[in-house]
Short mmCIF file of all heavy atoms in Angstrom, two decimals:
data_model
loop_
_atom_site.label_atom_id
_atom_site.label_comp_id
_atom_site.label_asym_id
_atom_site.label_seq_id
_atom_site.Cartn_x
_atom_site.Cartn_y
_atom_site.Cartn_z
N ASP Q 1402 7.08 28.24 -8.80
CA ASP Q 1402 6.64 29.05 -7.65
C ASP Q 1402 6.39 30.45 -8.21
O ASP Q 1402 7.28 31.20 -8.62
CB ASP Q 1402 7.69 29.12 -6.53
CG ASP Q 1402 7.31 29.87 -5.38
OD1 ASP Q 1402 6.17 30.48 -5.35
OD2 ASP Q 1402 7.98 29.89 -4.33
N LEU Q 1403 5.21 30.97 -8.06
CA LEU Q 1403 4.74 32.25 -8.51
C LEU Q 1403 5.08 33.50 -7.59
O LEU Q 1403 4.83 34.61 -7.82
CB LEU Q 1403 3.22 32.35 -8.81
CG LEU Q 1403 2.76 31.87 -10.21
CD1 LEU Q 1403 1.34 32.19 -10.37
CD2 LEU Q 1403 3.52 32.51 -11.38
N ASN Q 1404 5.60 33.12 -6.37
CA ASN Q 1404 5.76 34.22 -5.43
C ASN Q 1404 6.66 35.30 -5.85
O ASN Q 1404 6.33 36.46 -5.64
CB ASN Q 1404 6.39 33.51 -4.05
CG ASN Q 1404 5.45 33.06 -3.13
OD1 ASN Q 1404 4.27 33.82 -2.97
ND2 ASN Q 1404 5.63 31.98 -2.67
N PRO Q 1405 7.73 35.08 -6.49
CA PRO Q 1405 8.46 36.25 -6.97
C PRO Q 1405 7.71 37.08 -8.01
O PRO Q 1405 7.87 38.47 -7.98
CB PRO Q 1405 9.73 35.69 -7.80
CG PRO Q 1405 9.94 34.29 -7.17
CD PRO Q 1405 8.53 33.88 -6.85
N LEU Q 1406 6.87 36.64 -8.81
CA LEU Q 1406 6.00 37.40 -9.68
C LEU Q 1406 4.89 38.14 -8.86
O LEU Q 1406 4.70 39.42 -9.10
CB LEU Q 1406 5.29 36.53 -10.76
CG LEU Q 1406 4.44 37.17 -11.72
CD1 LEU Q 1406 5.05 38.35 -12.53
CD2 LEU Q 1406 3.74 36.25 -12.55
N THR Q 1407 4.39 37.40 -7.84
CA THR Q 1407 3.31 38.14 -7.03
C THR Q 1407 3.94 39.25 -6.33
O THR Q 1407 3.35 40.29 -6.20
CB THR Q 1407 2.79 37.14 -6.07
OG1 THR Q 1407 2.24 35.94 -6.76
CG2 THR Q 1407 1.73 37.78 -5.20
N GLU Q 1408 5.24 39.14 -5.74
CA GLU Q 1408 5.84 40.20 -5.05
C GLU Q 1408 6.16 41.40 -5.96
O GLU Q 1408 5.95 42.58 -5.60
CB GLU Q 1408 7.04 39.59 -4.37
CG GLU Q 1408 6.82 38.80 -3.25
CD GLU Q 1408 8.11 37.96 -2.73
OE1 GLU Q 1408 9.12 38.30 -3.32
OE2 GLU Q 1408 7.84 37.00 -1.97
N SER Q 1409 6.51 41.01 -7.21
CA SER Q 1409 6.94 42.24 -8.08
C SER Q 1409 5.64 42.99 -8.56
O SER Q 1409 5.62 44.20 -8.57
CB SER Q 1409 7.46 41.61 -9.45
OG SER Q 1409 7.75 42.54 -10.38
N VAL Q 1410 4.40 42.17 -8.76
CA VAL Q 1410 3.20 42.90 -9.01
C VAL Q 1410 2.83 43.67 -7.86
O VAL Q 1410 2.18 44.83 -8.11
CB VAL Q 1410 2.33 41.84 -9.60
CG1 VAL Q 1410 0.84 42.51 -9.59
CG2 VAL Q 1410 2.56 41.22 -10.85
N ALA Q 1411 2.87 43.14 -6.62
CA ALA Q 1411 2.37 43.83 -5.46
C ALA Q 1411 3.11 45.13 -5.30
O ALA Q 1411 2.62 46.21 -4.92
CB ALA Q 1411 2.59 42.99 -4.21
N ARG Q 1412 4.40 45.20 -5.66
CA ARG Q 1412 5.16 46.43 -5.43
C ARG Q 1412 4.69 47.61 -6.25
O ARG Q 1412 4.64 48.74 -5.91
CB ARG Q 1412 6.66 46.09 -5.91
CG ARG Q 1412 7.32 45.42 -4.79
CD ARG Q 1412 8.97 45.61 -4.93
NE ARG Q 1412 9.37 44.78 -6.12
CZ ARG Q 1412 9.75 43.49 -6.11
NH1 ARG Q 1412 9.70 42.83 -4.88
NH2 ARG Q 1412 10.06 42.97 -7.16
N VAL Q 1413 4.21 47.34 -7.53
CA VAL Q 1413 3.62 48.42 -8.32
C VAL Q 1413 2.03 48.65 -8.11
O VAL Q 1413 1.64 49.64 -8.52
CB VAL Q 1413 3.69 48.01 -9.87
CG1 VAL Q 1413 5.22 47.90 -10.19
CG2 VAL Q 1413 2.92 46.82 -10.36
N LEU Q 1414 1.61 47.97 -7.18
CA LEU Q 1414 0.28 48.06 -6.66
C LEU Q 1414 0.23 48.56 -5.16
O LEU Q 1414 -0.53 48.03 -4.36
CB LEU Q 1414 -0.57 46.88 -6.88
CG LEU Q 1414 -0.80 46.30 -8.39
CD1 LEU Q 1414 -1.61 44.98 -8.33
CD2 LEU Q 1414 -1.60 47.39 -9.12
N GLU Q 1415 1.22 49.41 -4.94
CA GLU Q 1415 1.39 50.12 -3.62
C GLU Q 1415 1.47 48.99 -2.47
O GLU Q 1415 1.07 49.18 -1.36
CB GLU Q 1415 0.12 50.99 -3.24
CG GLU Q 1415 -0.10 52.11 -4.37
CD GLU Q 1415 -1.09 53.04 -4.02
OE1 GLU Q 1415 -2.02 52.67 -3.24
OE2 GLU Q 1415 -1.07 54.21 -4.46
N GLY Q 1416 2.28 47.92 -2.76
CA GLY Q 1416 2.63 46.95 -1.86
C GLY Q 1416 1.28 46.01 -1.51
O GLY Q 1416 1.58 45.19 -0.57
N ARG Q 1417 0.24 46.06 -2.26
CA ARG Q 1417 -0.93 45.24 -1.71
C ARG Q 1417 -0.86 43.86 -2.46
O ARG Q 1417 -1.17 43.74 -3.76
CB ARG Q 1417 -2.25 46.11 -2.21
CG ARG Q 1417 -2.34 47.29 -1.40
CD ARG Q 1417 -3.73 47.94 -1.67
NE ARG Q 1417 -4.89 46.98 -1.55
CZ ARG Q 1417 -6.12 47.45 -1.67
NH1 ARG Q 1417 -6.54 48.62 -2.10
NH2 ARG Q 1417 -7.11 46.45 -1.43
N ARG Q 1418 -0.48 42.81 -1.63
CA ARG Q 1418 -0.50 41.60 -2.22
C ARG Q 1418 -1.86 41.00 -2.63
O ARG Q 1418 -1.93 40.28 -3.59
CB ARG Q 1418 0.18 40.61 -1.14
CG ARG Q 1418 0.49 39.22 -1.68
CD ARG Q 1418 1.25 38.44 -0.68
NE ARG Q 1418 1.50 37.03 -1.23
CZ ARG Q 1418 2.64 36.68 -1.79
NH1 ARG Q 1418 3.66 37.60 -1.93
NH2 ARG Q 1418 2.74 35.57 -2.19
N ASP Q 1419 -2.90 41.53 -1.97
CA ASP Q 1419 -4.29 41.18 -2.30
C ASP Q 1419 -4.58 41.57 -3.68
O ASP Q 1419 -5.27 40.92 -4.46
CB ASP Q 1419 -5.25 41.69 -1.28
CG ASP Q 1419 -5.25 43.17 -1.26
OD1 ASP Q 1419 -4.26 43.77 -1.32
OD2 ASP Q 1419 -6.42 43.74 -1.06
N LEU Q 1420 -4.08 42.73 -4.24
CA LEU Q 1420 -4.41 43.24 -5.49
C LEU Q 1420 -3.59 42.31 -6.49
O LEU Q 1420 -3.93 42.25 -7.65
CB LEU Q 1420 -4.09 44.73 -5.64
CG LEU Q 1420 -4.94 45.63 -4.90
CD1 LEU Q 1420 -4.55 47.09 -5.33
CD2 LEU Q 1420 -6.42 45.42 -5.15
N ALA Q 1421 -2.42 41.83 -6.06
CA ALA Q 1421 -1.60 41.08 -6.94
C ALA Q 1421 -2.27 39.64 -7.24
O ALA Q 1421 -2.36 39.26 -8.47
CB ALA Q 1421 -0.24 40.75 -6.40
N VAL Q 1422 -2.94 39.19 -6.26
CA VAL Q 1422 -3.78 38.00 -6.31
C VAL Q 1422 -4.92 38.17 -7.23
O VAL Q 1422 -5.28 37.46 -8.20
CB VAL Q 1422 -4.24 37.32 -4.96
CG1 VAL Q 1422 -5.13 36.23 -5.12
CG2 VAL Q 1422 -2.99 37.09 -4.19
N LEU Q 1423 -5.62 39.42 -7.07
CA LEU Q 1423 -6.70 39.84 -7.88
C LEU Q 1423 -6.18 39.91 -9.39
O LEU Q 1423 -7.08 39.52 -10.31
CB LEU Q 1423 -7.34 41.13 -7.43
CG LEU Q 1423 -8.43 41.80 -8.27
CD1 LEU Q 1423 -9.55 40.89 -8.35
CD2 LEU Q 1423 -8.83 43.18 -7.72
N TRP Q 1424 -5.06 40.43 -9.53
CA TRP Q 1424 -4.54 40.53 -11.00
C TRP Q 1424 -4.48 39.23 -11.54
O TRP Q 1424 -4.99 39.07 -12.77
CB TRP Q 1424 -3.15 41.17 -11.00
CG TRP Q 1424 -2.41 40.86 -12.24
CD1 TRP Q 1424 -2.74 41.48 -13.48
CD2 TRP Q 1424 -1.51 39.97 -12.47
NE1 TRP Q 1424 -1.97 40.90 -14.40
CE2 TRP Q 1424 -1.21 40.03 -13.90
CE3 TRP Q 1424 -0.75 39.11 -11.72
CZ2 TRP Q 1424 -0.18 39.15 -14.45
CZ3 TRP Q 1424 0.18 38.36 -12.20
CH2 TRP Q 1424 0.43 38.33 -13.52
N PHE Q 1425 -3.98 38.17 -10.96
CA PHE Q 1425 -3.79 36.84 -11.52
C PHE Q 1425 -5.15 36.26 -11.89
O PHE Q 1425 -5.32 35.66 -12.91
CB PHE Q 1425 -3.00 35.86 -10.72
CG PHE Q 1425 -2.56 34.67 -11.36
CD1 PHE Q 1425 -1.62 34.70 -12.48
CD2 PHE Q 1425 -3.13 33.44 -10.96
CE1 PHE Q 1425 -1.27 33.63 -13.11
CE2 PHE Q 1425 -2.84 32.31 -11.64
CZ PHE Q 1425 -1.79 32.27 -12.64
N THR Q 1426 -6.16 36.54 -11.11
CA THR Q 1426 -7.48 36.04 -11.30
C THR Q 1426 -8.00 36.67 -12.57
O THR Q 1426 -8.72 36.27 -13.35
CB THR Q 1426 -8.38 36.34 -10.01
OG1 THR Q 1426 -7.82 35.60 -8.90
CG2 THR Q 1426 -9.79 35.86 -10.28
N SER Q 1427 -7.84 38.00 -12.51
CA SER Q 1427 -8.29 38.82 -13.73
C SER Q 1427 -7.58 38.45 -15.04
O SER Q 1427 -8.22 38.35 -16.12
CB SER Q 1427 -8.01 40.31 -13.49
OG SER Q 1427 -8.48 41.09 -14.51
N LEU Q 1428 -6.35 38.02 -14.97
CA LEU Q 1428 -5.63 37.52 -16.06
C LEU Q 1428 -6.27 36.25 -16.65
O LEU Q 1428 -6.47 36.15 -17.86
CB LEU Q 1428 -4.15 37.30 -15.70
CG LEU Q 1428 -3.27 36.36 -16.69
CD1 LEU Q 1428 -3.23 37.07 -17.97
CD2 LEU Q 1428 -1.88 36.22 -16.08
N LEU Q 1429 -6.53 35.39 -15.77
CA LEU Q 1429 -7.25 34.11 -16.13
C LEU Q 1429 -8.48 34.34 -16.71
O LEU Q 1429 -9.02 33.71 -17.75
CB LEU Q 1429 -7.37 33.10 -14.97
CG LEU Q 1429 -6.09 32.58 -14.40
CD1 LEU Q 1429 -6.22 31.81 -13.10
CD2 LEU Q 1429 -5.34 31.89 -15.47
N HIS Q 1430 -9.33 35.31 -16.04
CA HIS Q 1430 -10.65 35.67 -16.58
C HIS Q 1430 -10.64 36.22 -17.96
O HIS Q 1430 -11.41 35.75 -18.94
CB HIS Q 1430 -11.31 36.67 -15.52
CG HIS Q 1430 -12.64 37.25 -16.11
ND1 HIS Q 1430 -13.78 36.68 -15.75
CD2 HIS Q 1430 -12.96 38.43 -16.69
CE1 HIS Q 1430 -14.86 37.37 -16.30
NE2 HIS Q 1430 -14.26 38.47 -16.86
N HIS Q 1431 -9.76 37.15 -18.22
CA HIS Q 1431 -9.69 37.77 -19.51
C HIS Q 1431 -9.20 36.97 -20.57
O HIS Q 1431 -9.32 37.15 -21.78
CB HIS Q 1431 -9.08 39.15 -19.36
CG HIS Q 1431 -9.93 40.14 -18.69
ND1 HIS Q 1431 -10.00 40.39 -17.26
CD2 HIS Q 1431 -10.92 41.05 -19.39
CE1 HIS Q 1431 -10.90 41.20 -17.04
NE2 HIS Q 1431 -11.47 41.73 -18.22
N SER Q 1432 -8.36 35.91 -20.23
CA SER Q 1432 -7.84 34.95 -21.18
C SER Q 1432 -9.02 34.21 -21.65
O SER Q 1432 -9.14 33.86 -22.84
CB SER Q 1432 -6.76 33.99 -20.59
OG SER Q 1432 -7.41 33.12 -19.65
N LEU Q 1433 -10.10 33.91 -20.89
CA LEU Q 1433 -11.18 33.22 -21.37
C LEU Q 1433 -12.10 34.16 -22.11
O LEU Q 1433 -12.77 33.56 -22.97
CB LEU Q 1433 -11.95 32.60 -20.02
CG LEU Q 1433 -11.11 31.56 -19.28
CD1 LEU Q 1433 -12.11 31.03 -18.13
CD2 LEU Q 1433 -10.66 30.46 -20.19
N VAL Q 1434 -12.17 35.38 -21.77
CA VAL Q 1434 -12.89 36.34 -22.60
C VAL Q 1434 -12.25 36.32 -23.90
O VAL Q 1434 -13.05 36.32 -24.96
CB VAL Q 1434 -12.74 37.77 -21.99
CG1 VAL Q 1434 -13.32 38.72 -22.92
CG2 VAL Q 1434 -13.57 37.84 -20.54
N ALA Q 1435 -11.09 36.35 -24.13
CA ALA Q 1435 -10.40 36.36 -25.48
C ALA Q 1435 -10.73 35.01 -26.17
O ALA Q 1435 -10.95 35.06 -27.48
CB ALA Q 1435 -8.95 36.45 -25.33
N THR Q 1436 -10.73 33.96 -25.48
CA THR Q 1436 -11.10 32.61 -26.06
C THR Q 1436 -12.49 32.58 -26.67
O THR Q 1436 -12.84 32.34 -27.76
CB THR Q 1436 -10.80 31.53 -25.16
OG1 THR Q 1436 -9.45 31.47 -24.85
CG2 THR Q 1436 -11.31 30.23 -25.73
N VAL Q 1437 -13.52 32.98 -25.73
CA VAL Q 1437 -14.88 33.03 -25.96
C VAL Q 1437 -15.13 34.04 -27.12
O VAL Q 1437 -15.98 33.71 -28.07
CB VAL Q 1437 -15.83 33.26 -24.71
CG1 VAL Q 1437 -17.24 33.50 -25.18
CG2 VAL Q 1437 -15.64 32.14 -23.77
N GLY Q 1438 -14.55 35.09 -27.05
CA GLY Q 1438 -14.70 36.19 -28.04
C GLY Q 1438 -13.89 36.01 -29.37
O GLY Q 1438 -14.02 36.83 -30.32
N ASN Q 1439 -13.17 34.86 -29.51
CA ASN Q 1439 -12.42 34.51 -30.64
C ASN Q 1439 -11.49 35.70 -31.01
O ASN Q 1439 -11.47 36.04 -32.27
CB ASN Q 1439 -13.36 34.13 -31.82
CG ASN Q 1439 -12.68 33.45 -32.94
OD1 ASN Q 1439 -11.61 32.73 -32.74
ND2 ASN Q 1439 -13.05 33.62 -34.10
N HIS Q 1440 -10.79 36.27 -30.01
CA HIS Q 1440 -9.86 37.37 -30.23
C HIS Q 1440 -8.64 37.10 -29.43
O HIS Q 1440 -8.32 37.81 -28.39
CB HIS Q 1440 -10.53 38.59 -29.79
CG HIS Q 1440 -9.88 39.80 -30.37
ND1 HIS Q 1440 -9.88 40.31 -31.76
CD2 HIS Q 1440 -9.07 40.74 -29.76
CE1 HIS Q 1440 -9.26 41.36 -31.80
NE2 HIS Q 1440 -8.75 41.67 -30.68
N TYR Q 1441 -7.88 36.23 -29.91
CA TYR Q 1441 -6.63 35.92 -29.16
C TYR Q 1441 -5.59 36.90 -29.02
O TYR Q 1441 -5.12 37.60 -30.03
CB TYR Q 1441 -6.00 34.56 -29.86
CG TYR Q 1441 -4.65 34.05 -29.15
CD1 TYR Q 1441 -4.64 33.26 -28.11
CD2 TYR Q 1441 -3.43 34.48 -29.63
CE1 TYR Q 1441 -3.59 32.88 -27.49
CE2 TYR Q 1441 -2.29 34.05 -29.08
CZ TYR Q 1441 -2.33 33.25 -27.95
OH TYR Q 1441 -1.26 32.82 -27.41
N ARG Q 1442 -5.05 37.07 -27.83
CA ARG Q 1442 -3.78 37.82 -27.64
C ARG Q 1442 -2.99 37.09 -26.68
O ARG Q 1442 -3.52 36.29 -25.92
CB ARG Q 1442 -4.25 39.18 -26.91
CG ARG Q 1442 -5.04 40.18 -27.69
CD ARG Q 1442 -4.12 40.68 -28.86
NE ARG Q 1442 -4.94 41.82 -29.69
CZ ARG Q 1442 -4.89 42.97 -29.36
NH1 ARG Q 1442 -4.11 43.51 -28.39
NH2 ARG Q 1442 -5.47 43.84 -30.16
N ASP Q 1443 -1.71 37.08 -26.72
CA ASP Q 1443 -0.90 36.18 -25.87
C ASP Q 1443 -1.05 36.56 -24.45
O ASP Q 1443 -1.45 37.66 -24.14
CB ASP Q 1443 0.55 36.02 -26.44
CG ASP Q 1443 1.34 37.13 -26.04
OD1 ASP Q 1443 1.27 37.69 -24.89
OD2 ASP Q 1443 2.17 37.52 -26.88
N PHE Q 1444 -0.57 35.62 -23.58
CA PHE Q 1444 -0.92 35.70 -22.19
C PHE Q 1444 -0.05 36.90 -21.59
O PHE Q 1444 -0.59 37.52 -20.65
CB PHE Q 1444 -0.31 34.29 -21.46
CG PHE Q 1444 -1.01 33.92 -20.31
CD1 PHE Q 1444 -2.52 33.95 -20.35
CD2 PHE Q 1444 -0.42 33.28 -19.29
CE1 PHE Q 1444 -3.22 33.46 -19.17
CE2 PHE Q 1444 -1.20 32.84 -18.23
CZ PHE Q 1444 -2.57 32.92 -18.16
N GLY Q 1445 1.06 37.17 -22.14
CA GLY Q 1445 1.72 38.31 -21.76
C GLY Q 1445 1.05 39.64 -21.98
O GLY Q 1445 1.02 40.51 -21.04
N GLN Q 1446 0.48 39.86 -23.17
CA GLN Q 1446 -0.30 40.98 -23.48
C GLN Q 1446 -1.54 41.15 -22.61
O GLN Q 1446 -1.83 42.24 -22.13
CB GLN Q 1446 -0.75 40.88 -24.96
CG GLN Q 1446 0.32 41.06 -26.03
CD GLN Q 1446 -0.19 40.87 -27.28
OE1 GLN Q 1446 -0.76 39.88 -27.77
NE2 GLN Q 1446 -0.01 41.79 -28.29
#
Side-chain angles (χ1 to χ4, degrees):
D1402 184 355
L1403 276 187
N1404 273 320
L1406 177 63
T1407 301
E1408 292 168 2
S1409 178
V1410 170
R1412 282 195 292 271
V1413 299
L1414 296 174
E1415 298 182 345
R1417 292 186 57 179
R1418 193 178 177 89
D1419 60 319
L1420 294 186
V1422 174
L1423 175 61
W1424 161 74
F1425 192 68
T1426 301
S1427 183
L1428 166 59
L1429 295 175
H1430 172 84
H1431 285 87
S1432 71
L1433 297 182
V1434 170
T1436 294
V1437 173
N1439 194 29
H1440 193 74
Y1441 178 82
R1442 296 291 184 92
D1443 76 40
F1444 218 40
Q1446 291 175 303

